[in-house]
Amino acid sequence: MSKRIHIKKGDQVLVISGDDKGKKGKVLSVIPSKGRVVVEGINMVTKHKKPRSQTDVGGIIHQEAPISATKVMHICDKCKKATPIGYMILEDGSKVRKCRKCNETFGD
C-alpha cells in the first residue's frame, strides 16, 4: 500500500526536525510505501561493505539513509522560503502543487 507524499524527487527541501534540523538538500529518492525520502547530505550513516568478488573493494562507506517525509518541508524556488505545499486545479482539469506563501506553481 503506497501513501501519498507531498515531496517529489528533485525537490529542494529543509529538514524541520531531528539531528539535521535546519539543513537543506535535494531529494534523491522517494519511498512512498514507507512514507520516507532520501535527501542529499542528510542522515548520513556508516556502512561496513564486504567485498563480494575479487575485483570488488570493501571498506567503510558513508551514505544517506531515509528519513520520514513529515520531517522535511519544500523550499519554494521563487520566494526561497520553506513552505507547506498547497494544491490547485487548473482550467484544463490538471492538479498542480503550489506555494502557500507566494502562490507560485511548482514545475511537476
Side-chain angles (χ1 to χ4, degrees), residues 10-85:
D11 284 351
Q12 195 72 17
V13 294
L14 172 74
V15 180
I16 57 174
S17 69
D19 292 338
D20 294 318
K21 182 177 179 177
K23 293 184 181 178
K24 297 176 184 178
K26 182 180 172 186
V27 176
L28 300 176
S29 66
V30 178
I31 308 164
S33 61
K34 296 186 178 184
R36 298 174 87 71
V37 293
V38 177
V39 182
E40 185 177 33
I42 306 296
N43 197 24
M44 298 299 285
V45 294
T46 303
K47 304 241 343 169
H48 295 264
K49 184 175 179 245
K50 186 175 181 178
R52 297 292 176 191
S53 66
Q54 296 255 335
T55 59
D56 197 9
V57 179
I60 299 171
I61 60 170
H62 301 282
Q63 67 182 28
E64 294 92 356
I67 62 172
S68 177
T70 60
K71 290 187 173 193
V72 297
M73 191 175 275
H74 189 274
I75 297 175
C76 179
D77 296 329
K78 184 179 177 188
C79 63
K80 303 292 184 205
K81 295 180 182 176
T83 176
I85 293 179

Side-chain angles (χ1 to χ4, degrees), residues 87-101:
Y87 295 93
M88 62 188 276
I89 308 293
L90 298 178
E91 296 81 28
D92 61 355
S94 61
K95 185 178 179 181
V96 294
R97 300 183 304 158
K98 70 170 186 142
C99 173
R100 290 220 180 141
K101 293 189 178 180

